[in-house]
Amino acid sequence: LAMLALCCLVFAGVQSALTYLVPYLGEITRISGPTVVGVLFAFGVATTVGSAAGARFADAHAARALVGGTVGLTAVLVTMYLFGGHAVVAVLTIVGMGLFAMGMAPALQSRVMSLAGPGPALAASLPASTANAGDSVGALLGGVAISHAGLAAAVLAGAVVAATAVAVAIAASRLRPTAPAAEVIPPTTELIAA
């Protein structure tokens, strides 16, 4: 459950900012028109690169990849909140958000399955569902933040959620897989009697 909570927090932190990215770019960063398309394209490329790189880190040490990814995500969101008015910084943080967020996806999947004990097949379906829940929660948090403090507050809300994810990632890094439950096979005499 800790890994699913982490998954939800990661995606809530990202979506708090990402859901409102186009208005943020227009109002805070003063980027509009075709440049916004380029920024969104760069984000998309970063998610692809992040996912590929994240798979390598997940293979090497998934728990460390999650701690590093949550720290990186928090750092880029804080930087975006503080310096997002500068176009170059905003674009770099958006690319960083894509790299770190999707870079954690393979490690999240790997850790959920490795910690699932005898049910890795069922557990494999849970991270995607939890990520979708995180997307919804993040969009809601960003919207509430905007209604109280303006567009930049959505990024701050994402940073706060991501910082919470750091604590969960550190705590969850101590979890170790349990041995799968041994299949109970009835004695042969019971099979013959049946």
Side-chain angles (χ1 to χ4, degrees), residues 1 18 47 61 101 139 179 181 184:
L1 290 177
L18 189 62
T47 62
H61 200 290
V184 178

Side-chain angles (χ1 to χ4, degrees), residues 39-186:
V39 173
L40 295 175
F41 180 78
F43 175 80
V45 169
T47 62
T48 302
V49 171
S51 185
R56 291 188 181 272
F57 288 116
D59 287 344
H61 200 290
R64 284 189 198 142
L66 291 171
V67 172
T70 55
V71 168
L73 180 60
T74 302
V76 297
L77 287 169
V78 167
T79 303
M80 186 175 181
Y81 175 71
L82 294 174
F83 306 107
H86 304 286
V88 171
V89 174
V91 171
L92 290 174
T93 58
I94 291 164
V95 167
M97 187 170 40
L99 287 169
F100 285 113
M102 292 314 294
M104 285 186 276
L108 285 163
Q109 185 75 30
S110 174
R111 286 287 284 164
V112 165
M113 291 181 68
S114 72
L115 294 170
L122 175 61
S125 68
L126 297 175
S129 299
T130 307
N132 287 330
D135 290 347
S136 299
V137 169
L140 176 66
L141 288 175
V144 169
I146 289 169
S147 71
H148 287 90
L151 272 171
V155 176
L156 179 59
V160 170
V161 173
T164 304
V166 172
V168 173
I170 291 169
S173 71
R174 294 180 178 92
L175 297 174
R176 298 291 173 250
T178 58
E183 184 179 345
V184 178
I185 301 172

